[in-house]
Amino acid sequence: MQGIGAVDWPVYLINLDKDRRRLEAATAQLARAEVPWTRVAAVNGRALSADEIAAVYDAKMNRRCARHPLTAPEIGCYLSHLKAWSLIRSAAVPGAIILEDDFRIDGNLRSAIHALSSDPGAWDIAKLFTFRPNVKLLRARDLAPGMRIGVPYRVPSTTLGYAIRRDAVDRLLRLSQPFFRPIDEDHKFFWEKHLKIAQVDPVPIVMGMQDTVEGTVGESRRAAARHDDRSVLGRAIQGFRYQIGYTVRLHIQRLQAR
């Protein structure tokens, strides 16, 4: 455990061994915010063998149901979160906060952590960041002074930071392997694993340092697209079908929940 102060739930920081600058930046921010934390050594997807990837990644299901093939960093990212969930289960705590190391604190993170740790609301995961400003929240309510929580109509496409409860950890560890989508997209299909996902507003963290030794997930996706043997039209059709299918199923889920 590192840092100062105390919070109800432990904080786990996912960080690749080579990314020392990100670790230093995250360490400084969490110290200033008086948030103690534990480092989780991220899985380097580029270092995995073909057999190791085949054991956790369902390429056949990916071709049928995903937007694009997963890149090595995306596979490593998913495995890193699985590793953090395993630590939560081993610690036998009621919940935890998971942060990726490229965050920047832009609000009262400590207050959000305290509030989420004792919140009685019916959620499994509470997102601490979204790319969409002024997010539409369903059934919004006060979480802490100047902070609310609610259900985002569209779940944010990010795992930069989130709170997760122990029962959700147990369920996800049981249902998430093998996987075929990026982890953030799996969260968007919340109904598949019976997840209740909430959003904190305003968000206490934003995107921070993007420099990384191994390259970002976004860079790996763009590189993979340049070597994709499908035609441009084929990729466009698959992307369109994916988005339409997701949107229709999302609207059905939200209508059923009314």
Side-chain angles (χ1 to χ4, degrees), residues 11-14 30 97-101 103 128 160-161 205:
V11 174
Y12 292 94
L13 175 70
I14 296 174
L30 292 170
I97 311 297
I98 297 178
L99 299 173
E100 295 176 345
D101 62 3
F103 74 93
L128 299 174
L160 182 69
I205 61 173

Side-chain angles (χ1 to χ4, degrees), residues 38-117:
T38 298
R39 179 178 176 269
V40 178
V43 176
N44 184 352
R46 298 183 193 276
L48 297 174
S49 68
D51 287 343
E52 288 172 322
I53 289 175
V56 297
Y57 172 48
D58 189 339
K60 183 177 180 180
M61 193 68 175
N62 174 273
R63 288 191 294 272
R64 287 177 51 197
C65 301
R67 187 197 301 264
H68 56 74
L70 264 63
T71 64
E74 286 175 314
I75 292 170
C77 179
Y78 210 130
L79 291 174
S80 298
H81 284 266
L82 284 166
K83 187 175 181 179
W85 298 342
S86 295
L87 290 174
I88 294 169
R89 183 173 61 183
S90 298
V93 291
I97 311 297
I98 297 178
L99 299 173
E100 295 176 345
D101 62 3
D102 53 341
F103 74 93
R104 178 170 59 82
I105 297 176
D106 191 44
N108 195 333
L109 178 61
R110 181 168 176 168
S111 176
I113 294 171
H114 275 295
L116 290 166
S117 298

Side-chain angles (χ1 to χ4, degrees), residues 185-249:
E185 290 190 25
D186 253 8
H187 286 184
K188 291 175 65 175
F189 288 81
F190 54 87
W191 54 88
E192 293 180 351
K193 297 181 176 69
H194 309 290
L195 290 172
K196 297 176 181 177
I197 298 185
Q199 170 75 53
V200 173
D201 179 60
V203 296
I205 61 173
V206 296
M207 280 291 181
M209 179 180 294
Q210 293 300 293
D211 293 341
T212 175
V213 173
E214 292 287 336
T216 65
V217 168
E219 290 169 348
S220 72
R221 284 182 182 174
R222 289 189 289 273
R226 291 194 293 271
H227 296 92
D228 196 329
D229 58 4
R230 295 173 300 169
S231 67
V232 174
L233 179 60
R235 293 199 300 270
I237 291 173
Q238 182 172 355
F240 178 76
R241 289 175 58 190
Y242 173 92
Q243 191 59 46
I244 290 297
Y246 168 74
T247 300
V248 169
R249 282 178 282 177

